[in-house]
C-alpha cells in the first residue's frame, strides 16, 4: 500500500481555494475521466454532463496518492466502474465493508447530511477536543477548510 493519510491530507490542503470554472466543471473529474476511465460507471467531467464533485474531490486525493486504480478502489471500498461519485454511493460502499464509524480519524472520508443519506463529504485533516477539521470539495463551489463540532447532527 502506498496511499497514506498524510499524503492524502497534503494533497487536499494544497487544493484549498480552487474554484470550479462552471457549474460543476472541475479539474478533479477531468483528471479521473482522462486517467482512470473505468473508475466510475461513466464520465463525471463537464464533457460527461458534470456531477456534484465533493466526493470526486475525495476520490481524486486518494487516486493521486495510490500506486494504481486498484489500490484506490480498495481504499475507497469501491468496485471498478462504481457509482461512487455520489456521497450516498460512497457511504454505502464503506458501510458494506464495515468501515463506517463515529470517531474521527485523520485522513478518513467524512459524510454530512440531515437524513438517512449523506449529501456532502470531505476529508478529516485534524481533530481536537470535540472539533473535527475537514477539507471539502464543492463547498460553495470551491475547495474549503471547515471546522465542526463532532456532536453536530449533520455528521
Amino acid at each position: 500500500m502506498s496511499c497514506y493519510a498524510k499524503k492524502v491530507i497534503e494533497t487536499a490542503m494544497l487544493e484549498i481555494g480552487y474554484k470550479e470554472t462552471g457549474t460543476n466543471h472541475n479539474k478533479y473529474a477531468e483528471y479521473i475521466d482522462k486517467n482512470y476511465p473505468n473508475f466510475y460507471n461513466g464520465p463525471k467531467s463537464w464533457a460527461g454532463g458534470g456531477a456534484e464533485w465533493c466526493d470526486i474531490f475525495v476520490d481524486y486525493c486518494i487516486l493521486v496518492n495510490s500506486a494504481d486504480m486498484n489500490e484506490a478502489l480498495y481504499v475507497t471500498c469501491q468496485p471498478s466502474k462504481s457509482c461512487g461519485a455520489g456521497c450516498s454511493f460512497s457511504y454505502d460502499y464503506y458501510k458494506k465493508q464495515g468501515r463506517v464509524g463515529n470517531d474521527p480519524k485523520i485522513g478518513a472520508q467524512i459524510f454530512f447530511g440531515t437524513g438517512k443519506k449523506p449529501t456532502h463529504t470531505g476529508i478529516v485533516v485534524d481533530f481536537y477536543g470535540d472539533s473535527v477539521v475537514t477539507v471539502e470539495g464543492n463547498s460553495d463551489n470551491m475547495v474549503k477548510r471547515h471546522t465542526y463540532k463532532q456532536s453536530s447532527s449533520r455528521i
Side-chain angles (χ1 to χ4, degrees):
M1 285 273 177
S2 64
C3 186
Y4 295 100
K6 180 180 176 185
K7 295 302 247 171
V8 170
I9 290 167
E10 286 174 6
T11 299
M13 297 289 282
L14 288 171
E15 295 299 318
I16 292 172
Y18 170 83
K19 295 180 182 180
E20 65 183 32
T21 57
T23 304
N24 292 324
H25 186 229
N26 65 87
K27 66 182 183 179
Y28 313 111
E30 287 186 10
Y31 175 87
I32 294 170
D33 285 353
K34 178 181 177 188
N35 296 290
Y36 301 94
N38 291 320
F39 195 77
Y40 297 129
N41 62 350
K44 304 302 180 195
S45 65
W46 222 29
E52 296 286 333
W53 54 277
C54 57
D55 193 60
I56 292 169
F57 172 72
V58 173
D59 291 343
Y60 167 85
C61 291
I62 292 168
L63 269 165
V64 299
N65 289 291
S66 296
D68 55 29
M69 184 176 86
N70 288 331
E71 182 180 40
L73 291 170
Y74 173 79
V75 170
T76 59
C77 294
Q78 297 183 42
S80 183
K81 293 189 177 186
S82 77
C83 298
C87 300
S88 60
F89 292 111
S90 287
Y91 178 83
D92 288 345
Y93 291 134
Y94 282 114
K95 192 172 182 179
K96 284 179 188 173
Q97 295 290 325
R99 290 176 49 192
V100 173
N102 293 321
D103 297 322
K105 301 222 180 344
I106 292 178
Q109 187 166 0
I110 187 169
F111 294 94
F112 303 93
T114 54
K116 291 186 178 197
K117 292 287 186 178
T119 57
H120 188 65
T121 190
I123 298 169
V124 176
V125 297
D126 198 6
F127 64 91
Y128 52 89
D130 69 343
S131 295
V132 180
V133 182
T134 64
V135 174
E136 302 162 25
N138 205 18
S139 177
D140 297 325
N141 302 321
M142 64 188 298
V143 178
K144 292 175 84 174
R145 181 182 171 128
H146 294 281
T147 302
Y148 302 93
K149 293 290 183 196
Q150 187 178 350
S151 58
S152 170
S153 61
R154 291 190 57 226
I155 298 175

